[in-house]
Amino acid sequence: MEFIVSYNSAPEIKIFDNIELLAEFIGIIWIDQIQNLESNNFYSLALSGGSTPIKIFQYLSTNYKNRLNWNRIKFFWGDERCVPPDNNDSNYKLAKEILFEPLNISEENIFRILGEENPVDESDRYSKVLQTELCSRNGIPKFDFILLGMGEDGHTASIFPQEINLFHSHNFCQVAEHPISSQKRITLTGKIINNASTIAIAAIGESKAKKIFDVVKRNREADPYPVSLVNPLEGKLYWLLDKESASLI
Ligand code: 6PG
């Protein structure tokens, strides 16, 4: 297994009784980090897609409407499916319906990946958006917070095991391909992911338990997983789990 010889800083593993408590934990981090922003700065946040964020976004848009200064956040994505923004596969559409519309988030603070565009052109364009919109550390755009998920195959963002090399790309974004559907994706690469100040990998459910064991316990017999390469250079990594996904650790 291609794994991290040593973490730059040990990941913090949090196990929650339910996803609402997991979402609450994220909300509290956002409140704290936004309060500590320098006055003229914004909070750069990259969202993930898939099903796990649905309840996280629902909880936060319901319970944090007035607990968080949402106007201080600029929203980006860790990955996007190469589909139009009104397609049910779109990560943007998911966030728009569950988070942005209920919270009246201003369009000017939303930097979606244009899934409807040519993937290679959009990958290049989004890389430039990150350089323009984000602060940088070591010359690399730096997110304040990246929310990631983990697939049952150990993928994260849209870096799948079959294309694990994309994690090490010199580019900030890459075009990826889903191994089963062949759907094209745009994904952040490890260069951006590991430059973030805070990364939270939210993975719940029994189906994730084995991969979480392999990654968290660094099982050397396991296959290489992209998620095992998430290792912030100077930032903090949280694994946000439930009892089922943490059942083997
Ligand atoms: C995506 C996500 C992807 C997701 C994992 C887990 O665009 O699909 O960014 O990386 O986080 O596939 O998905 P679930 O939350 O549905 O298990």
Side-chain angles (χ1 to χ4, degrees), residues 187-241:
T187 186
L188 298 185
T189 62
K191 204 168 192 177
I192 294 285
I193 291 170
N194 282 340
N195 201 43
S197 296
T198 304
I199 303 171
I201 305 173
I204 61 170
E206 178 69 31
S207 67
K208 309 287 176 79
K210 176 63 171 70
K211 288 295 184 289
I212 286 164
F213 167 80
D214 287 341
V215 174
V216 170
K217 297 299 184 188
R218 301 221 291 273
N219 173 10
R220 295 169 184 264
E221 280 74 53
D223 295 330
Y225 309 138
V227 76
S228 67
L229 300 176
V230 176
N231 176 22
L233 298 172
E234 297 175 22
K236 176 81 175 171
L237 172 60
Y238 291 102
W239 277 93
L240 306 182
L241 311 175

Side-chain angles (χ1 to χ4, degrees), residues 153-177:
D153 61 357
H155 80 259
T156 193
S158 278
I159 302 177
F160 296 91
Q162 296 81 346
E163 295 181 316
I164 194 168
N165 59 306
L166 294 181
F167 195 94
H168 304 297
S169 168
H170 293 300
N171 298 332
F172 297 148
C173 298
Q174 278 282 10
V175 178
E177 185 172 298

Side-chain angles (χ1 to χ4, degrees), residues 48-53 79 81 91 149-151 155-158 185 208:
S48 69
S51 59
T52 303
D79 67 324
R81 292 82 179 280
N91 291 338
M150 184 196 78
H155 80 259
T156 193
S158 278
R185 306 276 187 94
K208 309 287 176 79

Side-chain angles (χ1 to χ4, degrees), residues 98-211:
I98 304 178
L99 202 61
F100 302 153
E101 287 176 344
L103 294 170
N104 303 313
I105 301 293
S106 166
E107 282 291 332
E108 67 184 25
N109 287 343
I110 300 169
F111 299 85
R112 76 176 180 91
I113 299 172
L114 307 180
E116 68 275 26
E117 298 297 332
N118 171 281
V120 172
D121 295 344
E122 179 55 16
S123 176
D124 292 343
R125 186 196 72 87
Y126 206 67
S127 297
K128 293 183 176 65
V129 168
L130 298 179
Q131 289 173 279
T132 306
E133 295 298 332
L134 300 184
C135 302
S136 73
R137 173 166 45 205
N138 307 321
I140 298 169
K142 174 188 69 70
F143 276 103
D144 292 305
F145 191 102
I146 298 182
L147 177 63
L148 293 174
M150 184 196 78
E152 293 175 17
D153 61 357
H155 80 259
T156 193
S158 278
I159 302 177
F160 296 91
Q162 296 81 346
E163 295 181 316
I164 194 168
N165 59 306
L166 294 181
F167 195 94
H168 304 297
S169 168
H170 293 300
N171 298 332
F172 297 148
C173 298
Q174 278 282 10
V175 178
E177 185 172 298
H178 190 282
I180 297 169
S181 68
S182 300
Q183 184 185 62
K184 293 290 187 200
R185 306 276 187 94
I186 308 289
T187 186
L188 298 185
T189 62
K191 204 168 192 177
I192 294 285
I193 291 170
N194 282 340
N195 201 43
S197 296
T198 304
I199 303 171
I201 305 173
I204 61 170
E206 178 69 31
S207 67
K208 309 287 176 79
K210 176 63 171 70
K211 288 295 184 289

